PDB file of all heavy atoms in Angstrom:
ATOM      1  N   LEU R  63     -30.082  -5.779 -16.073  1.00 86.00           N
ATOM      2  CA  LEU R  63     -29.766  -4.447 -16.087  1.00 86.00           C
ATOM      3  C   LEU R  63     -30.733  -3.501 -15.521  1.00 86.00           C
ATOM      4  O   LEU R  63     -30.392  -2.436 -15.156  1.00 86.00           O
ATOM      5  CB  LEU R  63     -29.559  -4.186 -17.713  1.00 86.00           C
ATOM      6  CG  LEU R  63     -28.489  -4.838 -18.301  1.00 86.00           C
ATOM      7  CD1 LEU R  63     -28.465  -4.478 -19.832  1.00 86.00           C
ATOM      8  CD2 LEU R  63     -27.040  -4.425 -17.749  1.00 86.00           C
ATOM      9  N   GLY R  64     -31.963  -3.889 -15.426  1.00 86.00           N
ATOM     10  CA  GLY R  64     -33.012  -2.923 -14.905  1.00 86.00           C
ATOM     11  C   GLY R  64     -33.286  -3.072 -13.454  1.00 86.00           C
ATOM     12  O   GLY R  64     -34.012  -2.273 -12.897  1.00 86.00           O
ATOM     13  N   ASP R  65     -32.596  -3.913 -12.782  1.00 88.00           N
ATOM     14  CA  ASP R  65     -32.927  -4.220 -11.305  1.00 88.00           C
ATOM     15  C   ASP R  65     -32.123  -3.140 -10.461  1.00 88.00           C
ATOM     16  O   ASP R  65     -30.981  -3.247 -10.233  1.00 88.00           O
ATOM     17  CB  ASP R  65     -32.417  -5.597 -10.960  1.00 88.00           C
ATOM     18  CG  ASP R  65     -33.000  -6.060  -9.669  1.00 88.00           C
ATOM     19  OD1 ASP R  65     -33.505  -5.198  -8.869  1.00 88.00           O
ATOM     20  OD2 ASP R  65     -33.039  -7.292  -9.403  1.00 88.00           O
ATOM     21  N   GLU R  66     -32.967  -2.255  -9.912  1.00 92.00           N
ATOM     22  CA  GLU R  66     -32.376  -1.172  -9.109  1.00 92.00           C
ATOM     23  C   GLU R  66     -31.955  -1.670  -7.774  1.00 92.00           C
ATOM     24  O   GLU R  66     -30.877  -1.176  -7.239  1.00 92.00           O
ATOM     25  CB  GLU R  66     -33.329  -0.060  -8.905  1.00 92.00           C
ATOM     26  CG  GLU R  66     -32.938   1.190  -8.282  1.00 92.00           C
ATOM     27  CD  GLU R  66     -31.875   1.846  -9.105  1.00 92.00           C
ATOM     28  OE1 GLU R  66     -31.807   1.919 -10.317  1.00 92.00           O
ATOM     29  OE2 GLU R  66     -30.980   2.593  -8.480  1.00 92.00           O
ATOM     30  N   SER R  67     -32.509  -2.593  -7.172  1.00 92.00           N
ATOM     31  CA  SER R  67     -31.987  -3.239  -5.835  1.00 92.00           C
ATOM     32  C   SER R  67     -30.634  -3.839  -5.954  1.00 92.00           C
ATOM     33  O   SER R  67     -29.868  -3.688  -5.136  1.00 92.00           O
ATOM     34  CB  SER R  67     -33.050  -4.111  -5.316  1.00 92.00           C
ATOM     35  OG  SER R  67     -33.230  -5.441  -6.076  1.00 92.00           O
ATOM     36  N   LEU R  68     -30.328  -4.564  -7.011  1.00 92.00           N
ATOM     37  CA  LEU R  68     -29.099  -5.013  -7.340  1.00 92.00           C
ATOM     38  C   LEU R  68     -28.002  -3.910  -7.539  1.00 92.00           C
ATOM     39  O   LEU R  68     -26.865  -4.101  -7.015  1.00 92.00           O
ATOM     40  CB  LEU R  68     -29.031  -5.860  -8.594  1.00 92.00           C
ATOM     41  CG  LEU R  68     -29.547  -7.383  -8.412  1.00 92.00           C
ATOM     42  CD1 LEU R  68     -29.621  -8.088  -9.761  1.00 92.00           C
ATOM     43  CD2 LEU R  68     -28.619  -8.064  -7.409  1.00 92.00           C
ATOM     44  N   ARG R  69     -28.370  -2.760  -8.165  1.00 93.00           N
ATOM     45  CA  ARG R  69     -27.478  -1.657  -8.322  1.00 93.00           C
ATOM     46  C   ARG R  69     -27.097  -1.167  -6.843  1.00 93.00           C
ATOM     47  O   ARG R  69     -25.982  -0.838  -6.530  1.00 93.00           O
ATOM     48  CB  ARG R  69     -27.982  -0.550  -9.234  1.00 93.00           C
ATOM     49  CG  ARG R  69     -28.060  -0.952 -10.634  1.00 93.00           C
ATOM     50  CD  ARG R  69     -28.695   0.151 -11.455  1.00 93.00           C
ATOM     51  NE  ARG R  69     -28.501  -0.214 -12.803  1.00 93.00           N
ATOM     52  CZ  ARG R  69     -28.234   0.704 -13.793  1.00 93.00           C
ATOM     53  NH1 ARG R  69     -27.843   1.868 -13.514  1.00 93.00           N
ATOM     54  NH2 ARG R  69     -28.119   0.256 -14.996  1.00 93.00           N
ATOM     55  N   LEU R  70     -28.115  -1.132  -6.101  1.00 95.00           N
ATOM     56  CA  LEU R  70     -27.867  -0.530  -4.646  1.00 95.00           C
ATOM     57  C   LEU R  70     -26.858  -1.434  -3.871  1.00 95.00           C
ATOM     58  O   LEU R  70     -26.100  -0.929  -3.239  1.00 95.00           O
ATOM     59  CB  LEU R  70     -29.273  -0.337  -3.986  1.00 95.00           C
ATOM     60  CG  LEU R  70     -30.161   0.855  -4.462  1.00 95.00           C
ATOM     61  CD1 LEU R  70     -31.489   0.983  -3.849  1.00 95.00           C
ATOM     62  CD2 LEU R  70     -29.417   2.258  -4.344  1.00 95.00           C
ATOM     63  N   GLN R  71     -27.281  -2.709  -4.102  1.00 95.00           N
ATOM     64  CA  GLN R  71     -26.450  -3.700  -3.293  1.00 95.00           C
ATOM     65  C   GLN R  71     -24.940  -3.767  -3.929  1.00 95.00           C
ATOM     66  O   GLN R  71     -24.005  -3.633  -3.124  1.00 95.00           O
ATOM     67  CB  GLN R  71     -27.034  -5.209  -3.517  1.00 95.00           C
ATOM     68  CG  GLN R  71     -28.202  -5.331  -2.828  1.00 95.00           C
ATOM     69  CD  GLN R  71     -28.725  -6.805  -3.056  1.00 95.00           C
ATOM     70  OE1 GLN R  71     -28.087  -7.593  -3.652  1.00 95.00           O
ATOM     71  NE2 GLN R  71     -30.028  -7.007  -2.650  1.00 95.00           N
ATOM     72  N   GLU R  72     -24.858  -3.442  -5.166  1.00 95.00           N
ATOM     73  CA  GLU R  72     -23.536  -3.387  -5.751  1.00 95.00           C
ATOM     74  C   GLU R  72     -22.746  -2.171  -5.235  1.00 95.00           C
ATOM     75  O   GLU R  72     -21.589  -2.217  -4.959  1.00 95.00           O
ATOM     76  CB  GLU R  72     -23.625  -3.260  -7.327  1.00 95.00           C
ATOM     77  CG  GLU R  72     -22.255  -3.188  -7.960  1.00 95.00           C
ATOM     78  CD  GLU R  72     -22.379  -2.816  -9.307  1.00 95.00           C
ATOM     79  OE1 GLU R  72     -23.353  -2.250  -9.870  1.00 95.00           O
ATOM     80  OE2 GLU R  72     -21.272  -2.910 -10.016  1.00 95.00           O
ATOM     81  N   SER R  73     -23.409  -1.000  -5.259  1.00 95.00           N
ATOM     82  CA  SER R  73     -22.748   0.131  -4.720  1.00 95.00           C
ATOM     83  C   SER R  73     -22.301   0.034  -3.288  1.00 95.00           C
ATOM     84  O   SER R  73     -21.247   0.483  -2.797  1.00 95.00           O
ATOM     85  CB  SER R  73     -23.631   1.455  -4.957  1.00 95.00           C
ATOM     86  OG  SER R  73     -24.773   1.279  -4.202  1.00 95.00           O
ATOM     87  N   GLU R  74     -23.145  -0.603  -2.484  1.00 97.00           N
ATOM     88  CA  GLU R  74     -22.847  -0.820  -1.083  1.00 97.00           C
ATOM     89  C   GLU R  74     -21.682  -1.788  -0.986  1.00 97.00           C
ATOM     90  O   GLU R  74     -20.628  -1.563  -0.150  1.00 97.00           O
ATOM     91  CB  GLU R  74     -24.026  -1.379  -0.212  1.00 97.00           C
ATOM     92  CG  GLU R  74     -23.787  -1.765   1.130  1.00 97.00           C
ATOM     93  CD  GLU R  74     -23.201  -0.523   1.938  1.00 97.00           C
ATOM     94  OE1 GLU R  74     -23.627   0.596   1.730  1.00 97.00           O
ATOM     95  OE2 GLU R  74     -22.540  -0.783   2.957  1.00 97.00           O
ATOM     96  N   ALA R  75     -21.664  -2.809  -1.711  1.00 97.00           N
ATOM     97  CA  ALA R  75     -20.547  -3.673  -1.834  1.00 97.00           C
ATOM     98  C   ALA R  75     -19.271  -3.157  -2.146  1.00 97.00           C
ATOM     99  O   ALA R  75     -18.293  -3.465  -1.712  1.00 97.00           O
ATOM    100  CB  ALA R  75     -20.867  -4.982  -2.681  1.00 97.00           C
ATOM    101  N   LEU R  76     -19.323  -2.288  -3.164  1.00 97.00           N
ATOM    102  CA  LEU R  76     -18.100  -1.522  -3.634  1.00 97.00           C
ATOM    103  C   LEU R  76     -17.618  -0.648  -2.519  1.00 97.00           C
ATOM    104  O   LEU R  76     -16.524  -0.469  -2.327  1.00 97.00           O
ATOM    105  CB  LEU R  76     -18.522  -0.678  -4.856  1.00 97.00           C
ATOM    106  CG  LEU R  76     -17.352   0.092  -5.494  1.00 97.00           C
ATOM    107  CD1 LEU R  76     -16.198  -0.706  -5.880  1.00 97.00           C
ATOM    108  CD2 LEU R  76     -17.848   0.954  -6.658  1.00 97.00           C
ATOM    109  N   ARG R  77     -18.585   0.036  -1.878  1.00 97.00           N
ATOM    110  CA  ARG R  77     -18.084   0.943  -0.734  1.00 97.00           C
ATOM    111  C   ARG R  77     -17.379   0.105   0.393  1.00 97.00           C
ATOM    112  O   ARG R  77     -16.348   0.464   0.789  1.00 97.00           O
ATOM    113  CB  ARG R  77     -19.301   1.663  -0.116  1.00 97.00           C
ATOM    114  CG  ARG R  77     -18.880   2.720   0.905  1.00 97.00           C
ATOM    115  CD  ARG R  77     -20.073   3.088   1.853  1.00 97.00           C
ATOM    116  NE  ARG R  77     -20.722   1.982   2.409  1.00 97.00           N
ATOM    117  CZ  ARG R  77     -20.140   1.424   3.551  1.00 97.00           C
ATOM    118  NH1 ARG R  77     -18.997   1.851   4.119  1.00 97.00           N
ATOM    119  NH2 ARG R  77     -20.728   0.393   4.148  1.00 97.00           N
ATOM    120  N   GLN R  78     -17.951  -0.932   0.706  1.00 96.00           N
ATOM    121  CA  GLN R  78     -17.373  -1.896   1.777  1.00 96.00           C
ATOM    122  C   GLN R  78     -16.135  -2.375   1.281  1.00 96.00           C
ATOM    123  O   GLN R  78     -15.086  -2.436   2.046  1.00 96.00           O
ATOM    124  CB  GLN R  78     -18.386  -2.947   2.011  1.00 96.00           C
ATOM    125  CG  GLN R  78     -17.944  -3.824   3.138  1.00 96.00           C
ATOM    126  CD  GLN R  78     -18.863  -4.897   3.489  1.00 96.00           C
ATOM    127  OE1 GLN R  78     -19.806  -5.371   2.713  1.00 96.00           O
ATOM    128  NE2 GLN R  78     -18.933  -5.367   4.693  1.00 96.00           N
ATOM    129  N   PHE R  79     -15.934  -2.775  -0.066  1.00 96.00           N
ATOM    130  CA  PHE R  79     -14.757  -3.373  -0.502  1.00 96.00           C
ATOM    131  C   PHE R  79     -13.583  -2.233  -0.399  1.00 96.00           C
ATOM    132  O   PHE R  79     -12.454  -2.459  -0.082  1.00 96.00           O
ATOM    133  CB  PHE R  79     -14.922  -3.883  -1.935  1.00 96.00           C
ATOM    134  CG  PHE R  79     -13.465  -4.149  -2.704  1.00 96.00           C
ATOM    135  CD1 PHE R  79     -12.643  -5.145  -2.168  1.00 96.00           C
ATOM    136  CD2 PHE R  79     -13.077  -3.283  -3.705  1.00 96.00           C
ATOM    137  CE1 PHE R  79     -11.587  -5.484  -2.810  1.00 96.00           C
ATOM    138  CE2 PHE R  79     -11.901  -3.562  -4.241  1.00 96.00           C
ATOM    139  CZ  PHE R  79     -11.096  -4.686  -3.876  1.00 96.00           C
TER     140      PHE R  79
END
Side-chain angles (χ1 to χ4, degrees):
L63 297 175
D65 194 345
E66 187 63 30
S67 67
L68 276 176
R69 286 180 177 223
L70 292 174
Q71 288 177 11
E72 180 197 12
S73 65
E74 177 60 27
L76 179 60
R77 185 198 60 77
Q78 187 177 25
F79 169 70

